[in-house]
Amino acid sequence: MPERMGTKPAPHRGGRAAALAVLAMLVLTLASALSAPQDARAQDAPELDLSDEEVEDLLTFVVGNTLFTLYHELGHALVDMLEIPILGREEDAVDSLAIWLMVPEEPDPVAEAMLLAAAEAYAIAASHGSADDLAYWGEHSLDLQRFAAIHCLLYGSDPDGFADLAQAVEMPREDRDRCPAAYAQVEANWLRVLAPHLRAPGQAGGGRVHVSFAEPGPGLDPLLRELVEDTGLVQAAAAAVGEELVLPRDIPVHFVDCGEANAFYDPQVGEVTMCYELVDWLVTVYLEELEERR
Ligand SMILES: [Zn+2]
């Protein structure tokens, strides 16, 4: 549908105001929970009293990274079930999809902060030298390349609007010159391959993306589930993919314990697994970074 070609097929914008209202309430809940005794805290997380602003940053960091990972894994699912041709590395292609879907069409500080949180996580992973410890990062481009890719595409989406960001991360001049074209190419190519699958106005049918949340098991904080579930952003992002695209079948997304900080798409069963250990890792490294900064 040509009139839809200019819009992104999986907007994170749908219901954002409602989601952010929930987020604001959750921030208050978390603020008291995180300053409560250890049984309400992420395992091994340092003892910290968090300000309201820090709780909000923590939530942005965790939800932003969770969304990025979800889009990345759904990217693998789309490549598989829509038989999207990938020339080059699939990991890089689905990273580009995740970045593109998270770049806001209009300036939006919360959406930008969530995408930049994913870049920050790569910078932290790189500084920890944790590629071997954290299987999620293993088969992908180097962490700092992924950090750079996020900044490049976000900057490229609006070079004037993100001039300060490029300055802050000392983006080289040659990257500033090439990133707008890189972003335009990512957008054009994903729109081209998704175009045959975009839902026409009023069109029914097709599979949906459903998210389920198991209770985190022994050793994992029950709050991890609330962290990713209660804002509703993860469910809204997943649902939007099934609303905007006509999928050949459902894509279940399961938040569960995995025994490792990871996320997977399994082409055998056509399901996405998101590990609570990854969410736990995000909380832990955020709090560690915060402690180091103090
Ligand atoms: Zn991947």
Side-chain angles (χ1 to χ4, degrees):
M1 294 296 105
E3 73 278 8
R4 306 189 68 187
M5 290 295 288
T7 62
K8 297 181 180 184
H12 41 276
R13 305 175 300 284
R16 168 167 301 154
L20 288 182
V22 177
L23 187 143
M25 273 170 19
L26 179 67
V27 162
L28 296 175
T29 312
L30 277 173
S32 53
L34 286 168
S35 55
Q38 286 134 342
D39 60 321
R41 307 178 65 130
Q43 282 239 320
D44 306 325
E47 291 278 335
L48 285 176
D49 285 327
L50 301 180
S51 67
D52 289 354
E53 194 180 333
E54 287 165 344
V55 171
E56 199 166 341
D57 278 354
L58 167 62
L59 198 57
T60 302
F61 183 79
V62 172
V63 175
N65 273 285
T66 303
L67 274 180
F68 185 87
T69 305
L70 174 68
Y71 280 135
H72 176 103
E73 298 306 331
L74 287 176
H76 284 306
L78 295 178
V79 166
D80 175 38
M81 63 176 59
L82 302 179
E83 298 179 352
I84 292 170
I86 296 295
L87 311 175
R89 295 167 59 132
E90 181 171 324
E91 294 302 334
D92 291 345
V94 298
D95 262 3
S96 295
L97 174 68
I99 297 167
W100 172 58
L101 291 174
M102 289 185 74
V103 169
E105 290 190 39
E106 301 292 331
D108 181 334
V110 174
E112 290 155 22
M114 286 208 234
L115 176 54
L116 289 173
E120 191 186 346
Y122 292 127
I124 292 171
S127 74
H128 287 194
S130 58
D132 293 337
D133 305 336
L134 192 64
Y136 168 70
W137 313 105
E139 352 164 328
H140 307 79
S141 288
L142 296 173
D143 295 330
L144 287 177
Q145 289 175 319
R146 300 178 86 182
F147 171 89
I150 291 173
H151 282 92
C152 175
L153 293 180
L154 182 59
Y155 170 78
S157 73
D158 180 7
D160 293 333
F162 292 110
D164 289 350
L165 175 71
Q167 196 72 30
V169 296
E170 297 174 2
M171 188 182 292
R173 168 53 53 192
E174 54 270 28
D175 285 332
R176 293 187 207 198
D177 290 344
R178 78 176 172 84
C179 289
Y183 181 78
Q185 187 181 49
V186 162
E187 179 162 69
N189 286 350
W190 274 107
L191 279 172
R192 184 187 305 165
V193 295
L194 293 178
H197 310 285
L198 286 177
R199 187 178 297 280
Q203 183 179 358
R208 299 292 166 155
V209 185
H210 297 291
V211 185
S212 68
F213 299 90
E215 286 300 327
L220 287 169
D221 196 312
L223 263 183
L224 295 172
R225 173 180 176 167
E226 290 177 37
L227 256 180
V228 290
E229 183 176 14
D230 284 10
T231 64
L233 284 174
V234 168
Q235 300 92 311
V241 172
E243 285 158 14
E244 299 284 339
L245 299 171
V246 180
L247 301 170
R249 56 186 182 272
D250 289 347
I251 310 176
V253 175
H254 304 293
F255 278 81
V256 292
D257 298 356
C258 307
E260 59 180 319
N262 211 337
F264 318 86
Y265 168 69
D266 181 348
Q268 301 300 323
V269 291
E271 298 182 1
V272 171
T273 299
M274 302 282 291
C275 307
Y276 281 123
E277 288 87 348
L278 182 61
V279 184
D280 187 58
W281 180 83
L282 292 165
V283 174
T284 302
V285 296
Y286 178 91
L287 295 177
E288 283 173 358
E289 289 292 307
L290 190 62
E291 192 173 40
E292 275 173 32
R293 280 205 300 271
R294 287 180 171 177

